[in-house]
C-alpha cells in the first residue's frame, strides 16, 4: 500500500512526537508499505521518512517549489515530486495514496485532515483514514466535531469516515482494513456541503 502520513513540520515540538514519527516509519517499512509524505526533511516529516528508508522501505515526497527554495526538501527521498503550490501538492499526495494516517501536527496537518475527512464523508473516496493520537492533542477536535454533529452541522456518519486510535499497531491494522464507501443521502449532502 501507499500510505500518506500527515504530520508536523514544526521544529519546536516535544521530542516524543519525533519518536512517534520514527516508530510509524519503522512499522510502515516493516509491513512493506510505501510512504507518501509532504517531502520535507525537517521535524516529524523528516523523521518518518528517514525511519522508512532505514527499514528498507520506499518514500515518495511531494513538496511545493516554495519549500524547495528554502532548502527543506527531503532530497534523499526515493521519489521527490515538486509541485507549483500547496493545492497541487495535496492533489498529488491524495492521488498517490491508498490510505491516510494523521499524526499530531499543526494547522497544515489539520487542513489536510479536514480535506480528506470531508471527501470521505461525502463518499468521494473509500480510502481508510486513521488519526493516531497517543497523547490526546486532538481530543478537543473530536469534541468540537461531536458538538457540530449535535447541532446538526454534520451528517450522522461523520465519525464513520475516520478511525481514532492511540497505538501504532492498531493504526496500521485499521489502515490495512478495507474502509468501504459511505453513501450520503441527498438530505445529508445538503447538510454537509452547506456553508
Amino acid at each position: 500500500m501507499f500510505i500518506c502520513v500527515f504530520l508536523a513540520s514544526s521544529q519546536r515540538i516535544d521530542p516524543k512526537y519525533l519518536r512517534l514519527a520514527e516508530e510509524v516509519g519503522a512499522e510502515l517499512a516493516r509491513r512493506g508499505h510505501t510512504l507518501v509524505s509532504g517531502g520535507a526533511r525537517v521535524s516529524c516529516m523528516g523523521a518518518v521518512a528517514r525511519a522508512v528508508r532505514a527499514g528498507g522501505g520506499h518514500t515518495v515526497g511531494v513538496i511545493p517549489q516554495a519549500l524547495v527554495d528554502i532548502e527543506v526538501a527531503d532530497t534523499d527521498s526515493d521519489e521527490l515530486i515538486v509541485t507549483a503550490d500547496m493545492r497541487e501538492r495535496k492533489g498529488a499526495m491524495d492521488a498517490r495514496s491508498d490510505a491516510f494516517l494523521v499524526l499530531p501536527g499543526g494547522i497544515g496537518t489539520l487542513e489536510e485532515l479536514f480535506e480528506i475527512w470531508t471527501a470521505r464523508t461525502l463518499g468521494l473516496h473509500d480510502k481508510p483514514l486513521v488519526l493516531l493520537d497517543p497523547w490526546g492533542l486532538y481530543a478537543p477536535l473530536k469534541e468540537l466535531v461531536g458538538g457540530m454533529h449535535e447541532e446538526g452541522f454534520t451528517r450522522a456518519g461523520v465519525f464513520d469516515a475516520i478511525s481514532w486510535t492511540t497505538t501504532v499497531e492498531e493504526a496500521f491494522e485499521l489502515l490495512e482494513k478495507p474502509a468501504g464507501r459511505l453513501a450520503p443521502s441527498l438530505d445529508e449532502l445538503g447538510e454537509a456541503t452547506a456553508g
Side-chain angles (χ1 to χ4, degrees), residues 21-22 60 93 97 122 124 130 134 143 151 185 192:
E22 291 167 353
V60 178
M93 292 171 76
S97 302
L122 294 173
L124 301 178
V130 178
E143 185 177 341
E151 293 294 326
S185 69

Side-chain angles (χ1 to χ4, degrees), residues 39-80:
R41 61 176 169 75
V42 296
S43 188
C44 294
M45 211 178 291
V48 71
R50 287 189 295 274
V52 169
R53 290 191 293 268
H58 188 84
T59 61
V60 178
V62 186
I63 189 167
Q65 184 63 53
L67 296 181
V68 174
D69 293 344
I70 61 171
E71 301 181 348
V72 297
D74 179 11
T75 54
D76 292 328
S77 187
D78 295 302
E79 184 179 352
L80 188 64

Side-chain angles (χ1 to χ4, degrees), residues 117 137-150 159 164:
W117 192 359
L137 178 73
Y138 291 122
L141 173 64
K142 191 173 188 181
E143 185 177 341
L144 174 65
V145 175
M148 290 174 172
H149 174 65
E150 288 174 12
F159 287 112
W164 300 68

Side-chain angles (χ1 to χ4, degrees), residues 58-117:
H58 188 84
T59 61
V60 178
V62 186
I63 189 167
Q65 184 63 53
L67 296 181
V68 174
D69 293 344
I70 61 171
E71 301 181 348
V72 297
D74 179 11
T75 54
D76 292 328
S77 187
D78 295 302
E79 184 179 352
L80 188 64
I81 301 166
V82 179
T83 63
D85 55 34
M86 294 291 278
R87 288 177 186 242
E88 185 183 342
R89 175 202 215 181
K90 286 189 301 177
M93 292 171 76
D94 297 353
R96 294 294 296 267
S97 302
D98 301 308
F100 301 93
L101 176 60
V102 182
L103 273 59
I107 60 172
T109 305
L110 283 177
E111 184 207 9
E112 293 161 335
L113 164 62
F114 276 116
E115 185 164 327
I116 296 301
W117 192 359

